[in-house]
Amino acid sequence: MNDLKNALIKAQEDVRANCPMAPSITNFVTIDFVANAQIAVGGSAAMVYMPDEGGAMAEISKCLYINVGTLIPVHAETVPNAAKAAHEKCAYVLDPVAAGMGELRTKLLTDMKDYPPAIVRANASEVITLAKMWGLIDTDEGKVRGVDSTESVESAREAAETLARFIKGAVCVSGKDDLITDGERTILSFGGSEYFARITGSGCSLGGVCAVYHSVTDPFTAAVAATNAYNVAGAMAEKKAEGTASFKVAFLDALSNMTGDDLAACPMKEI
Ligand SMILES: Nc1ncnc2c1ncn2[C@@H]1O[C@H](COP(=O)(O)OP(=O)(O)O)[C@@H](O)[C@H]1O
Ligand SMILES: Cc1ncsc1CCOP(=O)(O)O
Ligand SMILES: [Mg+2]
């Protein structure tokens, strides 16, 4: 655990020192929150849409963020172009929002098996569904109910570990407690706030923040750094919040003051 804590401290220092740009192809609902969270932790944001833009961004950044939350026809070209370019030239974080819903989403996510992300950040249902889609596990679990999870974080452990080994990266399953694994090590990160489940975009923005940290460190450390940042900042924000809107503001404030020591102090447990 001490090695991990030191890596978290270094990751936060490197992000603040280098302000890495982690470009996103992300949904229209939460795009502003994603950009603001990325900037708050010390990174820089650039949101793109067009079929040639993800490839161009893969040339000038270390990690892209792809979130399939609100698909429109242009994404049929934009998403695979960006994912292929990022897989070859740098890396990408995937949020498979509402995996299993609709033909285009299913095709885009299924095809990503051939050019996988370095980090999958999703809720339990989405992680189980993606692992099933890629033929990595066989289970009756993984029922899709729009963008929210119907499964517990613990029930996604096998799917997450199998997926992490397949992508040779990390999987972060979010929920009340968050599970992060690289297929060898699996940890739980604690904290956060129930307010997260009452605002939209906490999951989406967490994926964008994973991409910022993965621009300076390995997938597992990056996924833990982002998750711990949310757990620490979420707990701080809850103390100030008077409702969901003031929670969101206080959360971004806390994220913008995040230090490496805060990330290392977040309660974690190896399981
Ligand atoms: N009940 C909860 N208590 C504490 N933190 C939570 C809770 N529900 C979600 N979170 C946090 O909210 C963020 C987004 O997770 P989640 O809501 O599972 O993603 P999604 O929005 O994609 O379904 C994560 O940082 C997670 O830890
Ligand atoms: C509500 C909604 N609909 C399509 S994408 C989206 C945002 C989901 O955000 P999150 O999974 O972070 O709550
Ligand atoms: Mg989500």
Side-chain angles (χ1 to χ4, degrees):
M1 227 13 133
N2 271 347
D3 286 356
L4 177 58
K5 288 184 179 179
N6 289 333
L8 294 172
I9 292 168
K10 183 164 185 333
Q12 186 62 66
E13 284 169 1
D14 288 349
V15 162
R16 295 265 182 231
N18 298 309
C19 188
M21 177 179 66
S24 300
I25 291 156
T26 191
N27 70 71
F28 306 116
V29 182
T30 65
I31 190 163
D32 170 271
F33 193 13
V34 174
N36 272 302
Q38 291 181 310
I39 295 165
V41 296
S44 131
M47 279 44 190
V48 297
Y49 300 88
M50 299 306 287
D52 60 321
E53 291 178 331
M57 287 301 189
E59 302 276 358
I60 55 167
S61 56
K62 298 254 171 61
C63 187
L64 264 55
Y65 175 46
I66 301 181
N67 172 309
V68 297
T70 46
L71 294 173
I72 54 171
V74 71
H75 286 123
E77 241 188 297
T78 301
V79 168
N81 284 1
K84 277 181 207 161
H87 176 77
E88 280 165 23
K89 295 179 181 148
C90 53
Y92 72 100
V93 175
L94 172 65
D95 185 338
V97 182
M101 201 174 80
E103 272 175 40
L104 178 57
R105 193 184 319 259
T106 301
K107 176 168 173 31
L108 294 179
L109 292 177
T110 304
D111 290 353
M112 279 179 190
K113 186 181 181 190
D114 294 334
Y115 32 89
I119 300 175
V120 174
R121 196 307 310 171
N123 64 44
S125 295
E126 292 158 347
V127 167
I128 294 169
T129 304
L130 188 67
K132 270 168 51 177
M133 240 179 220
W134 289 0
L136 303 175
I137 59 164
D138 185 16
T139 167
D140 287 338
E141 290 173 327
K143 308 256 177 330
V144 181
R145 204 205 72 181
V147 302
D148 293 328
S149 186
T150 57
E151 323 280 342
S152 68
V153 167
E154 299 72 44
S155 70
R157 179 177 181 169
E158 191 204 335
E161 290 173 345
T162 310
L163 201 49
R165 282 191 288 274
F166 177 78
I167 66 176
K168 298 186 176 67
V171 175
C172 168
V173 190
S174 59
K176 184 175 182 311
D177 303 330
D178 304 285
L179 182 151
I180 305 106
T181 182
D182 61 5
E184 304 299 326
R185 269 176 309 177
T186 300
I187 68 152
L188 287 176
S189 168
F190 305 100
S193 166
E194 287 186 5
Y195 276 120
F196 276 133
R198 297 173 57 202
I199 60 171
T200 188
S202 44
C204 300
S205 58
L206 176 58
V209 169
C210 284
V212 169
Y213 286 114
H214 186 36
S215 304
V216 301
T217 190
D218 64 90
F220 181 74
T221 306
V224 176
T227 303
N228 286 10
Y230 271 53
N231 279 332
V232 171
M236 286 169 136
E238 186 179 272
K239 291 189 188 132
K240 298 198 172 154
E242 292 170 23
T244 53
S246 56
F247 172 76
K248 193 170 162 185
V249 171
F251 169 66
L252 281 175
D253 278 347
L255 217 49
S256 70
N257 291 314
M258 193 57 48
T259 66
D261 287 339
D262 290 331
L263 299 187
C266 179
M268 292 181 276
K269 181 172 87 175
E270 194 143 6
I271 55 171

